[in-house]
Amino acid sequence: MLAFIIKRLANALLVMLAVALLAFMIFRLAGDPVELMVGEQTSQEDRAALRERLGLNDGLATQYVRFVVNAAQGNFGVSYRNGQSVLPLIADRFPATLELVLVATLISLFVGLPLGVLTAIKRGKWYTEGLQFLSIVGVSLPSFVVGILLILVFAVVMGLLPAFGRGDVVQIGWWSTGLLTPSGRAALILPSIALSLYQITLVMRLVRAEMLEVLRSDYVKFARARGIPRWRIYFRHALRNCLMPVVTMTAMNVGSLIAFALITETVFQWPGMGMLFIQAVTFLDIPVMAAYLCIISFIFVMLNMLVDITYAVIDPRLRDAR
């Protein structure tokens, strides 16, 4: 097991080095950082001094090694737009994104699991066929279209929920949360639903496919022959054997939701990392863009590694495979 974990850590390290190289190339290809940081009135002497201070006169290999070492220490430089250190900027926005992603994930599980079971055990019914059709629509609709429709219906027409912003937040140390205030909880509803819709359809279709496979197994037939109540067969025996792929997909999609929440955050003006990244792209704020890329990739790699290790703990054949 130790060798399996070391191998996975080595693979994760190689992936992060490749991502760091990509982020470093963004620095090099986006233009001269000195020209982006100074004004038109800056003298050539000041430009040369800044270039020397940033280490831009060194070779590319030296600059890349310095970038990797600084990134490993959480130092991604200074934002061109704000003039502040990049890591505190992202740390200030990270709670909003994580809160949105976790609520969207919970919604997808609490809605997708029952719908998946229902469409599996009630095949052929008109309402299950309708749910199947809606799942196709949910997969096909872009999240920004869903967000705009939700704003139009619930914020503009009905006036029930706020259309943008995060509402009032409470500081708990360095962490900020809107779950402890009424306006914060109200502001979270629409963006979390918009972000979770695609995930709901994936969970529902996956649970349905797994349930149909499990319901054809011999132990389910034997349980029915023994006269065990149907609800107990469905929810205690069959559903439990369907949860492993659902848990795996959910864990992997947490990273995807964090990465692609930027569209939802833009539609709802949600002050998270995605909104910060969009602003960085608009103003060509290269340090913020590179830091966002590295942090999102690190989250993906860690989640992937944790899923692999969990599988190896559950099934010893995986860690013994060559």
Side-chain angles (χ1 to χ4, degrees):
M1 186 63 188
L2 180 60
F4 179 85
I5 294 176
I6 293 175
K7 182 180 178 181
R8 287 296 180 269
L9 287 173
N11 291 337
L13 179 61
L14 291 176
V15 172
M16 289 308 303
L17 288 176
V19 171
L21 178 60
L22 178 60
F24 174 74
M25 295 308 298
I26 291 177
F27 270 109
R28 301 301 303 174
L29 298 177
D32 189 357
V34 174
E35 297 298 329
L36 296 173
M37 296 177 69
V38 301
E40 296 180 358
Q41 305 300 324
T42 306
S43 65
Q44 291 298 326
E45 292 77 9
D46 292 337
R47 294 171 188 262
L50 179 59
R51 184 180 298 277
E52 181 66 27
R53 181 162 59 87
L54 294 176
L56 298 178
N57 295 326
D58 299 331
L60 288 179
T62 303
Q63 294 184 46
Y64 172 67
V65 172
R66 185 189 303 118
F67 175 81
V68 171
V69 172
N70 290 336
Q73 297 173 355
N75 181 13
F76 293 97
V78 177
S79 170
Y80 296 162
R81 176 170 175 253
N82 300 333
Q84 303 176 14
S85 181
V86 171
L87 192 61
L89 284 175
I90 294 180
D92 185 57
R93 302 291 190 100
F94 183 72
T97 297
L98 186 61
E99 188 173 273
L100 176 62
V101 168
L102 291 181
V103 173
T105 302
L106 291 176
I107 291 175
S108 66
L109 291 177
F110 283 112
V111 176
L113 283 174
L115 291 182
V117 174
L118 179 64
T119 53
I121 64 180
K122 299 292 184 180
R123 285 184 301 167
K125 302 293 184 180
W126 64 269
Y127 49 86
T128 57
E129 295 298 324
L131 289 173
Q132 285 288 97
F133 175 77
L134 290 177
S135 69
I136 298 176
V137 175
V139 171
S140 304
L141 280 178
S143 58
F144 70 90
V145 174
V146 176
I148 292 173
L149 291 176
L150 290 174
I151 291 174
L152 178 63
V153 174
F154 293 100
V156 177
V157 177
M158 303 179 67
L160 297 177
L161 296 169
F164 61 90
R166 197 184 177 195
D168 298 328
V169 297
V170 175
Q171 290 292 141
I172 304 176
W174 66 273
W175 190 269
S176 63
T177 177
L179 295 175
L180 301 179
T181 63
S183 62
R185 290 191 293 268
L188 188 60
I189 294 175
L190 291 185
S192 60
I193 292 176
L195 187 61
S196 66
L197 183 60
Y198 181 76
Q199 183 86 348
I200 288 173
T201 58
L202 289 182
V203 172
M204 186 187 82
R205 297 174 73 85
L206 178 60
V207 171
R208 181 180 185 274
E210 293 292 328
M211 280 288 293
L212 291 176
E213 184 69 25
V214 170
L215 291 178
R216 289 193 290 263
S217 60
D218 292 336
Y219 79 90
V220 171
K221 297 177 181 178
F222 181 71
R224 287 175 175 171
R226 290 183 58 192
I228 297 177
R230 288 184 178 271
W231 66 268
R232 188 174 179 182
I233 295 175
Y234 294 147
F235 292 97
R236 184 171 179 179
H237 299 287
L239 182 60
R240 289 176 62 183
N241 290 289
C242 300
L243 291 182
M244 182 60 74
V246 175
V247 170
T248 303
M249 186 194 70
T250 301
M252 296 304 299
N253 280 345
V254 168
S256 301
L257 290 178
I258 293 176
F260 300 114
L262 59 91
I263 300 176
T264 303
E265 291 182 3
T266 303
V267 172
F268 290 94
Q269 295 296 294
W270 188 262
M273 288 197 307
M275 191 68 184
L276 180 66
F277 177 76
I278 294 297
Q279 294 170 351
V281 172
T282 303
F283 292 94
L284 201 61
D285 197 344
I286 306 299
V288 175
M289 295 166 58
Y292 180 85
L293 175 62
C294 292
I295 291 173
I296 294 300
S297 300
F298 179 76
I299 293 173
F300 266 107
V301 169
M302 288 297 102
L303 288 174
N304 192 13
M305 187 177 66
L306 288 176
V307 170
D308 287 344
I309 293 175
T310 303
Y311 268 6
V313 171
I314 296 174
D315 191 350
R317 294 173 300 177
L318 295 177
R319 61 175 181 262
D320 295 336
R322 296 291 182 263

